[in-house]
Amino acid sequence: MGTEVNAIRIEKNGGPEVLKWVSVPLSAPADNEVCIRHKAIGLNFIDIYFRDGLYPSPLPHGLGFEAAGIVEAVGKDVHHVKVGDRVAYGQGPLGAYAEARNIPADRVVRLPEGISFEEGAAIMLKGLTVQYLLRQVYDVKKGDTILFHAAAGGVGSLACQWANAMGVRVIGTASSAEKMQMAKDNGAWATINYSTEDVVQRVRELTDGAMVPVVYDGVGKATWETSLKCLRPRGLMVSFGNASGAVTGVNLGVLAQHGSLYVTRPILASFVPTLETMQAAADDLFAQILAGNIKVDIGQRFPLRDVAKAHEALASRKTVGSTILTLD
């Protein structure tokens, strides 16, 4: 099957200018791999971390963790998908920024007919992230009030919808009136403009002083202390991203001062380590979409060749909802 495909590669860490459009070899899939011809590719903030070196990986390498497409070939040990199947993945090895690729079969799930390739590419990583955040990291229950930072972003917009469908009250933070309205449109119970309002005070007012049992924080350094102050005693701080930079120099004594708080720094890979757990999480996600509880909001589309522009838009907070990379 050996052939050549176009892909994005980086030879050094840096800004968007290091993203190169190159031709790379594509071999036949190994026994436990699936070859997928991509129809759409997802863009996520974690891609920037690998590009700029915050998350180191041996160079040169590709970028991207999620995509959707059609199975072109399967290894001899692969039985859950076949050639011609519509599939998606959201936790692959680096390298989704490509026209086609081989990927471990246990990362690949069938994409239901009611969900488009673009929706699949836009939803997998962010949707599976929301699944493990709301269903596994903390067992969110109907009637809970939770705080979710960056509620108008790709993960936040999905979390607002999913939580709302569960009967959960989401207090969402955002940086502008427009983004606050988006969060409300997606089901947020209340919103806070973190650029102009005192987040801690507003949470105190909204909860009648009780504060929240869990804070979901994908922003990182800029919101770390604020998030801790919004928790009730023995509350859980879920730090799942670093959009403003990594949290460093943590004094564990602060957790005691705020009421014996818990902190976790989860990653998706720990919650979907097998085909069975991946399929179960994806089935939960797909069911929410097909039931109409989650609408996949694709705010931006960029041709794969123009991925540098997509990175610039994402890093400058100019995007809303999900961003996908398209192929000709």
Side-chain angles (χ1 to χ4, degrees):
M1 177 186 167
T3 185
E4 296 267 327
V5 297
N6 292 313
I8 298 293
R9 290 287 185 273
I10 66 170
E11 297 180 351
K12 61 181 180 179
N13 296 120
E17 71 279 358
V18 304
L19 298 164
K20 303 300 181 184
W21 176 261
V22 298
S23 180
V24 298
L26 179 65
S27 61
D31 292 349
N32 64 341
E33 288 184 332
V34 176
C35 180
I36 302 172
R37 176 67 57 174
H38 291 154
K39 295 295 187 180
I41 299 161
L43 180 74
N44 297 279
F45 224 100
I46 193 173
D47 302 350
I48 293 177
Y49 301 156
F50 276 95
R51 188 205 72 216
D52 65 18
L54 177 63
Y55 291 177
S57 185
L59 293 163
H61 63 69
L63 286 177
F65 286 97
E66 70 177 340
I70 296 176
V71 175
E72 282 202 339
V74 299
K76 70 180 183 64
D77 294 335
V78 179
H79 304 291
H80 71 291
V81 295
K82 64 183 185 304
V83 173
D85 280 351
R86 302 172 74 254
V87 295
Y89 62 89
Q91 185 57 32
L94 282 170
Y97 290 8
E99 294 173 331
R101 71 178 300 203
N102 296 323
I103 185 169
D106 65 0
R107 304 295 83 192
V108 178
V109 298
R110 286 185 179 177
L111 188 65
E113 286 295 334
I115 301 175
S116 71
F117 289 119
E118 288 196 350
E119 289 173 327
I123 197 73
M124 286 297 291
L125 183 54
K126 290 178 280 289
L128 291 174
T129 296
V130 173
Q131 197 279 338
Y132 88 76
L133 290 175
L134 297 183
R135 303 285 211 187
Q136 300 187 66
V137 171
Y138 181 85
D139 189 16
V140 177
K141 293 284 200 304
K142 180 178 180 179
D144 282 347
T145 300
I146 66 175
L147 178 64
F148 211 105
H149 287 298
V155 173
S157 61
L158 296 177
C160 286
Q161 294 176 67
W162 199 328
N164 183 57
M166 295 168 63
V168 174
R169 298 191 301 182
V170 178
I171 301 173
T173 71
S175 61
S176 67
E178 179 187 11
K179 289 188 175 182
M180 289 169 65
Q181 187 58 53
M182 288 182 60
K184 285 189 176 181
D185 291 344
N186 281 318
W189 170 68
T191 55
I192 302 172
N193 187 330
Y194 63 76
S195 298
T196 60
E197 297 182 270
D198 184 326
V199 175
V200 178
Q201 181 59 31
R202 287 291 291 130
V203 169
R204 184 173 292 112
E205 293 169 357
L206 290 165
T207 61
D208 294 326
M211 310 310 277
V212 297
V214 61
V215 174
Y216 292 104
D217 189 340
V219 178
K221 182 178 180 179
T223 50
W224 168 254
E225 293 185 6
T226 294
S227 294
L228 295 181
K229 294 176 182 177
C230 291
L231 287 164
R232 65 181 56 167
R234 297 174 62 188
L236 175 63
M237 167 65 170
V238 184
S239 180
F240 68 94
N242 314 288
S244 67
V247 176
T248 59
V250 174
N251 175 6
L252 292 180
V254 173
L255 305 181
Q257 295 169 14
H258 290 291
S260 301
L261 302 180
Y262 295 88
V263 175
T264 183
R265 180 59 177 88
I267 58 172
L268 175 58
S270 301
F271 292 85
V272 288
T274 65
L275 175 59
E276 291 72 24
T277 53
M278 173 66 78
Q279 189 67 62
D283 287 346
D284 192 11
L285 170 63
F286 294 154
Q288 294 295 320
I289 298 170
L290 294 172
N293 293 333
I294 290 177
K295 178 181 179 295
V296 184
D297 177 21
I298 300 173
Q300 301 76 215
R301 292 172 174 83
F302 294 86
L304 176 58
R305 188 188 289 267
D306 294 336
V307 66
K309 295 179 182 177
H311 274 230
E312 290 169 356
L314 185 62
S316 62
R317 310 292 177 86
K318 293 179 180 178
T319 63
V320 293
S322 297
T323 301
I324 63 165
L325 306 173
T326 60
L327 297 113
D328 297 333

